Amino acid sequence: MNMQIQNMFTKCVVFFIHYLQCFQPSKRCSLQHSSLSAFIALCLLSGFTTHVQADDDVSVTVGWYHWDPYQYLDITGRLTGLDYALINEIFNASDIEVNYDEGAQDSWDKNQSDVLEHKKDAAAGAFKTAIRSEQYLISQPYRYEWNSLYVRNLDASYFAVTSVSELVKLIDDGHKLGVIKGYNYTSPELNEYISTQTKKGSSFIVSSTTEEENFNNLYDNKVSVVVADRLVGARIMWKNKKRTGQISELPLTLPALPIHLLIHKSEDPEMNSRMEHILDSFNRGIVELTASGAIQKTIGNYLFPVLMNITVQRDWFYLIDVVGAVFFAIAGLLIARDNRYDFFGVFIMTALLTIGGGLMRDIFVGRAPVVLRYPEYMYIVVSVAVVGFFLCWMHDSLQKSSPSYKAIAYKQQAGWLFVRSLIEAMALGAYTVIGVGVAVEMELSPLWLWGPILGCLTSCGGGILANALRQGEEIKAMKGGLDPECSLFWGAVFSWVLIWQAERLNPTEVLLGVIVTLVGTTVSVLLVNHFKLRSPTLKYIQFSRK
């Protein structure tokens, strides 16, 4: 656009030169007019080119502070994070270069003062307040933020508050609240309380410069409760694997508020005009990238840690994993019994169904095999193999020696067959959920594709290996059995629930999605087995000559 304007301006200047030449009274005047015309043209073009170049080379210096995962240094020392990515994308949409001093890691309080004093042009990650509106130019919102409360698990029941007012009463009773210095939270009532207590010099408000310091105070019992951005809290809890299970998020979630970019407001008209140009360019970039879906895609990529925290690292998720392992181990035991295997055969068949699918999945995605990192799976395999082998041996012995026991066992045969089908169906559902959870943990994208695939591989992979090992047995999952299809379908359902939750981040709704997936998979498999449904298979057609 600037080049087109410049070309038009050049044509106007050439026309102006010809216009002057039309009034030449003499050769001497002609020379003077030509020289004057060339000089004027050169000055005009030079000035215009400088103006265009200055407009094209607009850059902005943005301050930052350590706030993982919004802005932080990665293991290579490079600045990265959600806000870093968003600010760069939005400004780049308007051809504005963004500069960071990666060596100047400041606090949020220092970031604000730097923009106010024009040591930096802008600072990201701010709520809009009346005071800030007077001090800064404030952009349109480019994302939203949720705040949550975090406590130690031992204090979770005591701090089960339903409102900020109840929380304030507990703090007044002598419990300490951990906050970030200079930070505003999404609750006006909480902000007012923190401000009032801080001015009084209250020891109940403990200020930190970073969220890591804030959470370490909670881990070390220096504060009783911490208020923090939900994504930041989930990220810290996820990274502190050695302290997993010590801290939990309270059900009380503070309201969501929009996040803005703070830009320097100057009393100098020329400087303020430049700042307003930067503001307008940033706002235009937000509109363009929001319409294209680019902003939402970037935000979704950084929400995986929260999804991991409310799925993979929950106690109920671990329970599902254990239950699925036990059920598959029992299924392997029953298959070994049907084929009259010895103890070694029982152990192999039990291990294949319990860890075979997960092993295939981990190798497929390049993940360290979970069975090597967590010995609980082998404990389950060995326990079920030993106890199950002994119980099956006792069952067979009693059937031979006791006619009454044999008669009872015969009468209960149909019930035992249903229980067996139920165990296998529930194991399939549990491992489908686990497989989708691994896709979330590995941050595979798109989740709607890799979630169902890993869910199916985890739930059906062990059975395929076991059937391949059994001599003369067809691989049911590959010859008409609908178990893989059921796993794929409900894995897709659960994946879409998690994709939907990327914007809502509600642990209760995620748990409901898990329950629906478990029940749906179990019921589907039971119905398929009851009605003897099969998937279409390819037929071999032999052509013969007549």
Side-chain angles (χ1 to χ4, degrees):
M1 176 64 72
N2 288 332
M3 185 59 68
Q4 293 176 356
I5 297 174
Q6 186 173 357
N7 290 336
M8 292 175 62
F9 188 80
T10 303
K11 292 178 180 178
C12 291
V13 171
V14 173
F15 176 81
F16 177 71
I17 293 172
H18 285 293
Y19 175 79
L20 290 177
Q21 290 175 345
C22 292
F23 296 92
Q24 296 177 358
S26 64
K27 291 184 177 180
R28 183 178 178 180
C29 291
S30 175
L31 180 61
Q32 291 176 348
H33 276 279
S34 299
S35 301
L36 179 61
S37 301
F39 177 76
I40 293 173
L42 182 62
C43 290
L44 290 173
L45 282 173
S46 176
F48 184 82
T49 304
T50 302
H51 173 74
V52 173
Q53 185 176 2
D55 188 61
D56 283 344
D57 293 342
V58 171
S59 63
V60 59
T61 302
V62 180
W64 74 280
Y65 67 104
H66 181 78
W67 195 27
D68 187 1
Y70 292 109
Q71 41 196 9
Y72 63 99
L73 297 177
D74 62 15
I75 57 175
T76 64
R78 292 184 57 189
L79 187 58
T80 185
L82 175 56
D83 274 356
Y84 174 81
L86 287 175
I87 298 304
N88 278 281
E89 282 186 33
I90 294 170
F91 272 126
N92 290 339
S94 299
D95 295 326
I96 293 181
E97 181 183 357
V98 184
N99 298 315
Y100 293 89
D101 184 358
E102 298 187 3
Q105 179 176 322
D106 298 320
S107 65
W108 170 236
D109 207 31
K110 180 71 163 50
N111 259 223
Q112 295 177 83
S113 63
D114 282 350
V115 175
L116 195 63
E117 298 167 7
H118 203 198
K119 295 178 181 179
K120 299 286 192 303
D121 292 327
F127 293 127
K128 186 176 182 179
T129 64
I131 295 177
R132 285 176 179 168
S133 297
E134 295 176 359
Q135 296 175 331
Y136 307 92
L137 298 175
I138 300 181
S139 74
Q140 294 179 9
Y142 62 88
R143 64 172 176 85
Y144 282 77
E145 182 176 311
W146 293 261
N147 289 162
S148 286
L149 301 172
Y150 298 89
V151 297
R152 288 179 297 278
N153 284 343
L154 296 176
D155 301 330
S157 58
Y158 181 79
F159 281 93
V161 296
T162 58
S163 66
V164 174
S165 300
E166 293 180 12
L167 174 66
V168 167
K169 290 180 181 178
L170 290 176
I171 302 301
D172 286 336
D173 288 340
H175 298 282
K176 294 183 178 181
L177 174 67
V179 300
I180 297 298
K181 184 179 180 181
Y183 194 84
N184 281 286
Y185 296 96
T186 58
S187 169
E189 182 181 356
L190 185 60
N191 288 331
E192 181 65 26
Y193 176 76
I194 293 172
S195 177
T196 302
Q197 294 299 317
T198 302
K199 290 177 182 177
K200 291 180 180 179
S202 173
S203 60
F204 297 156
I205 305 299
V206 179
S207 298
S208 302
T209 56
T210 67
E211 290 290 8
E212 283 78 7
E213 179 187 350
N214 202 18
F215 272 81
N216 283 335
N217 287 339
L218 182 60
Y219 281 120
D220 298 335
N221 202 19
K222 295 180 181 179
V223 297
S224 302
V225 58
V226 159
V227 56
D229 173 271
R230 197 174 190 190
L231 181 54
V232 174
R235 181 82 170 184
I236 291 175
M237 292 169 65
W238 174 60
K239 290 172 66 176
N240 282 278
K241 292 182 172 61
K242 293 183 179 179
R243 289 178 161 180
T244 298
Q246 295 184 24
I247 287 178
S248 60
E249 178 184 353
L250 291 179
L252 175 63
T253 302
L254 303 179
L257 285 182
I259 293 295
H260 307 261
L261 182 74
L262 297 181
I263 298 175
H264 175 70
K265 180 186 285 188
S266 177
E267 295 180 357
D268 179 17
E270 184 178 351
M271 179 57 67
N272 203 60
S273 176
R274 176 179 176 271
M275 294 295 105
E276 288 179 346
H277 170 67
I278 291 174
L279 175 65
D280 292 339
S281 299
F282 189 80
N283 288 338
R284 284 199 307 271
I286 292 175
V287 173
E288 292 176 11
L289 296 182
T290 300
S292 66
I295 287 183
Q296 190 56 40
K297 181 179 180 181
T298 301
I299 293 174
N301 292 336
Y302 280 88
L303 288 176
F304 274 110
V306 181
L307 288 177
M308 281 189 282
N309 184 58
I310 63 178
T311 54
V312 179
Q313 294 184 357
R314 294 284 174 167
D315 292 337
W316 51 260
F317 192 87
Y318 176 74
L319 178 63
I320 290 172
D321 199 0
V322 171
V323 169
V326 171
F327 283 174
F328 263 123
I330 293 173
L333 168 70
L334 296 176
I335 291 175
R337 180 182 179 277
D338 293 341
N339 290 269
R340 306 183 64 82
Y341 287 167
D342 59 12
F343 177 75
F344 181 73
V346 170
F347 176 79
I348 294 297
M349 196 59 58
T350 303
L352 281 177
L353 262 74
T354 305
I355 64 176
L359 192 61
M360 290 174 64
R361 175 204 64 214
D362 291 341
I363 293 173
F364 179 69
V365 300
R367 180 175 181 248
V370 67
V371 66
L372 301 180
R373 292 181 287 132
Y374 300 100
E376 291 89 345
Y377 296 95
M378 289 309 299
Y379 295 157
I380 292 173
V381 169
V382 172
S383 300
V384 171
V386 172
V387 175
F389 185 85
F390 175 75
L391 291 178
C392 288
W393 178 79
M394 287 289 297
H395 173 73
D396 294 340
S397 299
L398 286 173
Q399 277 193 317
K400 291 180 181 179
S401 60
S402 174
S404 59
Y405 180 84
K406 184 177 181 179
I408 294 174
Y410 180 79
K411 289 181 181 179
Q412 300 296 327
Q413 186 175 4
W416 282 113
L417 288 175
F418 175 77
V419 170
R420 177 174 179 173
S421 298
L422 180 62
I423 288 174
E424 292 177 352
M426 292 181 68
L428 196 78
Y431 268 31
T432 297
V433 172
I434 296 299
V436 176
V438 171
V440 173
E441 181 181 352
M442 296 300 292
E443 300 187 12
L444 300 180
S445 181
L447 183 60
W448 59 263
L449 173 64
W450 294 111
I453 290 176
L454 293 195
C456 181
L457 190 59
T458 306
S459 60
C460 299
I464 292 173
L465 291 176
N467 284 331
L469 187 65
R470 294 159 64 192
Q471 187 176 3
E473 289 290 335
E474 290 186 347
I475 301 178
K476 177 185 174 183
M478 299 172 65
K479 289 195 173 183
L482 284 172
D483 288 0
E485 284 82 352
C486 292
S487 179
L488 282 170
F489 175 79
W490 288 105
V493 170
F494 186 46
S495 297
W496 279 109
V497 168
L498 294 182
I499 292 171
W500 172 55
Q501 281 299 313
E503 299 180 3
R504 298 172 61 84
L505 305 177
N506 189 318
T508 304
E509 292 176 355
V510 172
L511 177 57
L512 181 61
V514 170
I515 294 173
V516 169
T517 303
L518 284 172
V519 174
T521 307
T522 302
V523 172
S524 299
V525 172
L526 289 176
L527 290 175
V528 164
N529 292 336
H530 178 74
F531 291 104
K532 296 182 173 57
L533 302 177
R534 295 178 63 83
S535 62
T537 57
L538 297 176
K539 305 296 183 182
Y540 175 72
I541 302 176
Q542 183 175 4
F543 297 94
S544 59
R545 294 181 179 178
K546 291 186 178 180

